[in-house]
Amino acid sequence: MGVRKNQQNLTAEEKARLVEAILSLKGAGTYDIFVRQHIERFNGDSDSGTRIGHRSPSFLPWHRKYLIEFERALQAVDASVSLPYWDWTTAGTRSTLWATDFMGPDGSRTQNGRVTSGPFTGTDWPLTVRSDSAGFLRRSFGSSGVPLPTARDVQTVLAIRTYDTAPWNSTSSGSFRNNLEGFRGVNLHNRVHVWVNGTMAGAGSPNDPVFWLHHCHVDKLWSDWQAAHGSANYLPVSGTADVVDIDEAMQPWGDVTPRDMVDHSAIYTYG
């Protein structure tokens, strides 16, 4: 069982091992499989049709499974590696997250947001599977004018007692899931993608390795909410068209259901 730490508490060696494992997956072609999987799922989800990974109750269990599979791929390279989380309420533009020996810095405003230093540049990080025309990692911190969420924003979302509500899509109100995902109300998850901007703003967002640290924090917030409100209260339970009920399988994993993803404690914990 691994412990997922706040990235601010990683040692220099832990950061280096994570970066090397990510680069190893990229070099082997495994990383791009995960990117393609996200693009296909993102493009396949819609408010008025089938929705599994986004705009739906299974946004959180789908991404939990996605993170687990990516973490297992990293651990096949280096068993000591666990995914850390990026708490964007305390770590903004000046965070050590963006150091050139870790996730790398903001992009160049004169080069279409291109990240020009750090591990994920040049021939080590070509974007061969992507959702836009740029074959390189791009960032543009805060250029959208949308700020990162605050601790108060997080507490507001964690206080919502109902996991999700009909019509189970981006218009659902009074929904913890939808406020966390970011289509209604406080807007946490989507706001961070837009703040980083560039590569993170599209369907190919996993091409930016900070995607995994961001989604680890989203997963941690779900875990915190479960601890406060009960872990087994995923909705909907049954008989709902176009979305994944608690005991229905989530594609592309075939037999993995939201219920299977409710309790992560046997696989990892947050420290």
Side-chain angles (χ1 to χ4, degrees):
M1 182 176 67
V3 177
R4 294 180 177 177
K5 300 179 181 179
N6 188 321
Q7 59 83 24
Q8 296 181 99
N9 298 328
L10 294 180
T11 66
E13 181 180 358
E14 287 172 328
K15 291 179 181 180
R17 284 180 173 273
L18 175 62
V19 168
E20 286 304 312
I22 291 172
L23 290 173
S24 178
L25 291 185
K26 181 68 170 177
T30 307
Y31 194 97
D32 286 348
I33 294 172
F34 285 95
V35 176
R36 183 176 292 107
Q37 190 176 71
H38 190 270
I39 290 173
E40 290 174 352
R41 184 65 271 141
F42 187 96
N43 290 337
D45 293 327
S46 70
D47 269 351
S48 57
T50 301
R51 46 198 183 277
I52 301 173
H54 307 85
R55 300 171 174 266
S56 66
S58 51
F59 165 74
L60 290 167
W62 192 93
H63 280 86
R64 179 168 284 179
K65 175 62 174 174
Y66 188 52
L67 289 172
I68 288 170
E69 291 303 308
F70 183 70
E71 189 170 55
R72 285 172 173 165
L74 292 173
Q75 290 168 348
V77 174
D78 184 340
S80 73
V81 170
S82 291
L83 281 172
Y85 64 92
W86 167 32
D87 181 353
W88 11 262
T89 69
T90 59
T93 306
R94 298 181 181 180
S95 172
T96 56
L97 174 71
W98 311 113
T100 54
D101 62 350
F102 196 30
M103 291 293 105
D106 194 7
S108 168
R109 297 296 194 272
T110 62
Q111 298 183 53
N112 190 27
R114 186 172 193 150
V115 176
T116 59
S117 60
F120 306 111
T121 59
T123 57
D124 287 334
W125 205 255
L127 303 195
T128 52
V129 176
R130 57 184 187 263
S131 56
D132 59 30
S133 60
F136 48 83
L137 178 60
R138 297 182 302 121
R139 294 176 181 149
S140 185
F141 297 163
S143 63
S144 64
V146 176
L148 286 171
T150 66
R152 176 176 289 185
D153 292 333
V154 167
Q155 291 308 310
T156 298
V157 173
L158 290 178
I160 299 171
R161 301 184 66 87
T162 303
Y163 178 80
D164 210 348
T165 60
W168 319 108
N169 61 18
S170 70
T171 69
S172 294
S173 60
S175 158
F176 164 73
R177 183 275 311 170
N178 204 20
N179 276 266
L180 177 55
E181 187 176 0
F183 290 104
R184 288 289 287 245
V186 178
N187 180 352
L188 299 182
H189 156 266
N190 285 351
R191 201 194 314 181
V192 178
H193 278 276
V194 172
W195 182 85
V196 177
N197 220 321
T199 303
M200 272 281 278
S205 52
N207 272 313
D208 189 334
V210 83
F211 170 95
W212 306 102
L213 282 69
H214 167 41
H215 269 274
C216 264
H217 191 222
V218 172
D219 183 74
K220 180 182 182 297
L221 293 180
W222 181 27
S223 183
D224 292 343
W225 182 88
Q226 290 177 304
H229 301 291
S231 62
N233 50 8
Y234 176 93
L235 293 171
V237 174
S238 63
T240 312
D242 295 327
V243 301
V244 181
D245 297 331
I246 192 168
D247 291 315
E248 288 187 321
M250 297 185 294
Q251 296 301 323
W253 298 291
D255 59 350
V256 177
T257 69
R259 192 185 298 277
D260 295 328
M261 290 294 101
V262 163
D263 184 3
H264 61 77
S265 61
I267 305 170
Y268 62 88
T269 58
Y270 284 102

